Amino acid sequence: MAVCSAYASPSLRTPCSIHPTGSTQHLIFFTGDPRRPPRRPPVSCSAESNTVVIGLAADSGCGKSTFMRRLTSVFGGAAAPPKGGNPDSNTLISNSTTVICLDDYHSLDRTGRKEQGVTALDPRANNFDLMYEQVKALKEGKPVEKPIYNHVTGLLDPPELIKPPKILVIEGLHPMFDARVRSLLDFSVYLDISNEVKFAWKIQRDMAERGHSLESIKASIEARKPDFNAYIDPQKQYADCVIEVLPTELIPDDNEGKVLRVRLVMKEGVKHFSPVYLFDEGSTISWIPCGRKLTCSYPGIKFFYGPDAYYDHEVSVLEMDGQFDRLDELIYVESHLSSLSTKFYGEVTQQMLKHADFPGSSNGTGLFQTVVGLKIRDLFEQIIAEKSAAPVEASKV
């Protein structure tokens, strides 16, 4: 008579379950005489990981945190630090997403960087080997003990346990710098903030929130420029999507920087991603929507859509210059955009109204971050559906 027995075995590589200690356990089922197990176990409880990895690159103070809040909101649930862990952890966890700050892979603490004469942007101050190993492990469904860089003390704190999520977002200075890490990304985004806008944002953040002086902020920006140009900025050539934030062209010689021109640069031919378009896909269109259905105070709003080339890649560009007076009227603009990957009419407007207090909600920064978040959700759902269908198709062969 056939007998079915289950044994715990540490010898297989694919984890069956994840335990708080980070250990793994494997269950192997044998049929037949238990005294003579077959040479090859016919059934195991291993399963392919469904973790999708998103990379977000940007310089310090360029809106990564706001983008993360918009993205996690699209997937549902607010992101928060791990419960019961280090209060200075940089990790954010929601129902579906885990956001890892790549500052945690600094190989030198603040004092060490000062002694070595390098900035945090310099690859020599970062451990890319560990970054690759741990992102790869999480994508394969394995938990990791990730280090913590403490931004308050400037020291490297003891590690924290990170379990594989549905969506893993790695955000920071170098998500696309190392070719090995880059190969693990299912989709990548680069926030490209012009020097003029970056300076204004950094002053607002570092002076208002961190108590830095204007002179120290200027000195910090100048000190970072060479390394930013050498190691951070070149990563945008690898991004599937770039959000460029520039000074307005609606106000001649504008020096205030309150009105912004934002460009959404979308690479063509990316698997599971179709660029958003205005009116007619592939056309070149300039549109001023201000009028009876969209309230616009000076200097108004102007949209542009058309094809372009970006680092020798074919791209579609959607641009917004100006800012909204009333977010509830955004539905008029949304109704003229296609391939938004929304689940219902007005979802973009709903998301924008939900987070009206977020920075950039009145201009293209918030609009395009929200749109990219919806596109990432659609990409995730396509990848999961594709993985689920693969075993079914294989069984038909």
Side-chain angles (χ1 to χ4, degrees):
M1 184 175 73
V3 180
C4 180
S5 304
Y7 300 92
S9 167
S11 62
L12 298 180
R13 291 182 179 273
T14 306
C16 174
S17 57
I18 301 171
H19 300 271
T21 60
S23 63
T24 58
Q25 189 177 53
H26 312 271
L27 297 179
I28 306 171
F29 296 85
F30 300 109
T31 58
D33 188 343
R35 293 169 298 178
R36 294 191 305 162
R39 296 177 184 176
R40 181 180 178 186
V43 181
S44 75
C45 64
S46 64
E48 183 180 1
S49 169
N50 284 330
T51 296
V52 172
V53 184
I54 309 297
L56 174 65
D59 195 6
S60 174
C62 287
K64 294 190 297 293
S65 297
T66 302
F67 182 87
M68 286 299 97
R69 292 162 71 191
R70 292 188 190 277
L71 176 62
T72 52
S73 175
V74 165
F75 282 97
K83 294 180 180 179
N86 187 330
D88 293 318
S89 170
N90 303 305
T91 303
L92 295 173
I93 298 175
S94 70
N95 297 342
S96 302
T97 63
T98 293
V99 181
I100 289 179
C101 176
L102 295 185
D103 289 357
D104 288 336
Y105 293 99
H106 287 338
S107 56
L108 298 172
D109 60 20
R110 192 175 296 157
T111 300
R113 294 196 300 272
K114 189 173 181 180
E115 291 174 347
Q116 295 290 329
V118 298
T119 70
L121 291 76
D122 194 310
R124 292 174 295 176
N126 297 273
N127 189 341
F128 289 101
D129 289 340
L130 182 61
M131 185 189 301
Y132 167 70
E133 290 167 3
Q134 294 203 336
V135 174
K136 183 174 183 290
L138 289 168
K139 187 165 186 172
E140 293 174 346
K142 304 169 186 175
V144 302
E145 292 283 346
K146 182 189 63 59
I148 298 175
Y149 176 75
N150 192 316
H151 285 94
V152 177
T153 65
L155 300 173
L156 298 170
D157 286 353
E160 62 185 350
L161 176 67
I162 302 296
K163 298 178 182 180
K166 293 180 180 178
I167 303 102
L168 173 66
V169 183
I170 58 172
E171 63 90 359
L173 298 170
H174 302 99
M176 291 171 267
F177 179 83
D178 185 278
R180 297 168 302 170
V181 177
R182 195 164 65 238
S183 70
L184 298 173
L185 302 179
D186 293 291
F187 192 77
S188 53
V189 183
Y190 187 96
L191 303 183
D192 189 13
I193 317 300
S194 71
N195 289 332
E196 301 93 329
V197 176
K198 186 188 298 185
F199 183 65
W201 284 5
K202 200 164 181 65
I203 286 177
Q204 181 179 355
R205 186 195 70 171
D206 288 358
M207 288 186 71
E209 300 178 13
R210 301 183 179 181
H212 296 181
S213 67
L214 180 61
E215 292 72 21
S216 67
I217 294 172
K218 288 181 178 178
S220 173
I221 291 175
E222 289 302 317
R224 292 169 65 92
K225 264 187 180 181
D227 282 355
F228 173 79
N229 293 335
Y231 308 120
I232 312 305
D233 192 61
Q235 292 179 71
K236 62 189 180 186
Q237 65 184 299
Y238 304 115
D240 298 313
C241 182
V242 177
I243 299 178
E244 297 180 340
V245 183
L246 306 156
T248 181
E249 291 183 342
L250 298 176
I251 305 174
D253 303 319
D254 177 61
N255 294 319
E256 294 188 12
K258 293 181 179 179
V259 180
L260 300 174
R261 178 168 64 101
V262 186
R263 287 163 49 90
L264 178 58
V265 182
M266 300 163 284
K267 191 178 292 183
E268 297 281 355
V270 176
K271 191 176 182 181
H272 304 305
F273 174 77
S274 55
V276 179
Y277 61 92
L278 176 65
F279 290 113
D280 184 32
E281 186 176 12
S283 299
T284 299
I285 294 169
S286 182
W287 180 44
I288 298 176
C290 301
R292 295 181 180 179
K293 297 182 179 180
L294 188 68
T295 304
C296 296
S297 57
Y298 178 82
I301 295 175
K302 183 178 181 180
F303 279 86
F304 168 84
Y305 164 76
D308 205 344
Y310 189 83
Y311 286 94
D312 297 326
H313 296 291
E314 290 185 9
V315 298
S316 291
V317 177
L318 180 63
E319 177 181 307
M320 175 185 166
D321 197 347
Q323 56 190 25
F324 300 109
D325 287 349
R326 295 182 53 180
L327 275 182
D328 59 327
E329 295 179 344
L330 174 60
I331 189 69
Y332 175 63
V333 173
E334 181 179 350
S335 66
H336 289 77
L337 296 171
S338 298
S339 188
L340 286 170
S341 298
T342 52
K343 292 188 178 296
F344 55 85
Y345 178 74
E347 187 177 12
V348 172
T349 303
Q350 183 193 74
Q351 284 288 330
M352 291 285 285
L353 287 169
K354 182 179 178 181
H355 303 299
D357 58 331
F358 283 13
S361 291
S362 64
N363 58 52
T365 305
L367 174 60
F368 293 156
Q369 286 182 355
T370 299
V371 167
V372 172
L374 292 169
K375 300 299 291 185
I376 289 175
R377 182 185 66 186
D378 181 57
L379 176 136
F380 166 76
E381 291 174 352
Q382 288 186 61
I383 291 175
I384 296 304
E386 189 176 82
K387 287 184 177 181
S388 299
V392 177
E393 292 299 320
S395 66
K396 295 179 181 178
V397 177

